[in-house]
Structure formats: C-alpha cells, structure tokens
Amino acid sequence: MRRAGVGGDGLRIRQEVKEQIRAALVQAGTELIEAQGLEATTVEEITRRAGVAKGTFYNYFKTKDDLVYAAVQAAAQGWEEELEHILAEHPTTFQRLLAVFDRILRWVEQHPELNWIWLMEGLRRIREPERQHSPFREILRRIFAAGQAAGEIRTDRSPEDFAVDLSGLYLVHAARAYFLRQPRLLRETLVQALEVYLYGAAAASATAPAPPAVHGSRPVKTAAVKPARPGASDGKPTTGTAAAREED
C-alpha cells in the first residue's frame, strides 16, 4: 500500500513538473513572438528564456506555430467561462454575439500577431480530429441554440451551421484588418457584417423575395417579422429578410 502511494505521488509530481515546463515554454514563446515576430524567434531563444534545454521544446510542441495555437486555445477556454454571464446579461442574439466579439477583440488588439497565427493554424488543421472542437465556435453554437429556443432564430439550420458561418465571417474580416494593419477597424466591420447576416441586406422599405428552392431540400418561407434591429426606437420587430425564419 505504501509503495502504491509513493508511486502515485511520484506520478503526480512528474505531471506537475511537465505542466510547469509547458506553461513556461508557452509564456516565453508568446512573449518573444509578440516582441519580434514568429520568423525572427528561434526555438533556442524560447527554451533559453523558459530555462530548459533546447530539445525539451520538442517533447511538448512540434513547431512554434503549435505553441501559439495551444496558447490561444487555452485563452479561448477561458472565454467559454464567461458565456453564462453573457447569456444572462444580454437578451438578444445580436447583443450576445456582439458581447462575445467585444471580449475577443479586446484580446486581439493586444495580441494581433498571435491571433493571426491562430487563425492560419486553425485553417491548416481543419481536418484534424482535435480541431473539431473549437472553443470559439462552441460559444457561437450555444448562443444560436439559445436564440432558436427563444424563437428568435430560424430552425431549419443547426446551431453548428450558424457557428461555422460566423467563424468564417470573423476570419475574413480579421484577415482584412490584419493586412491593413488596422486592428481597430475590425470591430466596426464585424458589427456591420453581423447585422447584415442576422437581419438581411435588403433596404428597410424593400420587400424581401422568397428564398429560392434548393434541390433536395424543402423550401423555407420568409417570416413576417424579425428581431428588432439594434437601436430601433420603439423596440418592436421590423419586417424584411432575417436570420429568424419560421419552419414550415
């Protein structure tokens, strides 16, 4: 019995040491990459700052990109913990999505280089099994599921489909802001794109046409009303094309 206990303690201590080394590598790597860029940062510099041998790096990460991706995924896990507050604090899907994007964009403004590496690594890993769970996409999925449960969002598409749409929308606008070197532009363009996605591109006075039938699927009729546009003076829904459409 004593031997088993000592062995168990030894395993626990070794695991704690591994976690400490991994955390030290992540911290050293992200600090150096943000300061001097991914290409200019070497594995040797990262391990020297972390206080470990160069070969130790490869016990935890294959590449520097892997290190950054792991760091951002860990941060995104923390964002998931804020979701319950966001769902309770904001009553509409638009407001909830905007609160999530605001939270993420605060981080992006501080870490533009890490965000870009994370986005590119996410695309590269799109077919990898571990990529199937994205904390960011899971947050979006839960928001759309809540919107469907409240009758605010159309139900002919799954919450996962909506989350994939919004992930793609974020990627496009994040890439544009990154290449223009205007990170503060990202929020403005995202808010505009998000409103168009949820409420439609048609002018307020226009009559939205029925969506075309898609081969192999049943037609979807356009709802007579939609969620109120942000800032509507009377708080009532307005008509037009919307992400909220009724099922037949």
Side-chain angles (χ1 to χ4, degrees), residues 92-112:
T92 70
T93 298
F94 181 89
Q95 291 170 339
R96 289 166 176 170
L97 290 171
L98 192 57
V100 167
F101 281 128
D102 276 340
R103 173 64 184 85
I104 293 171
L105 292 179
R106 288 198 300 271
W107 184 89
V108 170
E109 286 188 3
Q110 297 172 358
H111 310 282

Side-chain angles (χ1 to χ4, degrees), residues 176-244:
R176 178 170 178 256
Y178 177 82
F179 283 116
L180 292 176
R181 300 295 178 185
Q182 296 180 344
R184 295 186 181 277
L185 176 68
L186 183 53
R187 186 187 189 280
E188 179 183 348
T189 56
L190 269 179
V191 171
Q192 294 170 352
L194 182 58
E195 183 176 358
V196 170
Y197 179 79
L198 288 178
Y199 301 108
S205 60
T207 301
V214 179
H215 180 68
S217 65
R218 59 187 178 81
V220 179
K221 68 180 181 179
T222 303
V225 297
K226 65 179 182 181
R229 284 183 182 274
S233 59
D234 57 3
K236 297 178 181 178
T238 55
T239 58
T241 305

Side-chain angles (χ1 to χ4, degrees), residues 50-77:
V52 298
K54 180 179 178 180
T56 303
F57 179 92
Y58 299 101
N59 294 333
Y60 297 86
F61 307 103
K62 294 179 180 179
T63 65
K64 294 177 291 183
D65 303 82
D66 284 338
L67 181 149
V68 172
Y69 189 77
V72 181
Q73 286 289 87
Q77 293 285 358

Side-chain angles (χ1 to χ4, degrees), residues 13-28:
I13 292 170
R14 283 197 294 273
Q15 184 60 35
E16 289 176 354
V17 171
K18 286 182 179 180
E19 291 174 359
Q20 290 170 1
I21 293 173
R22 190 177 191 277
L25 287 168
V26 167
Q27 181 175 346

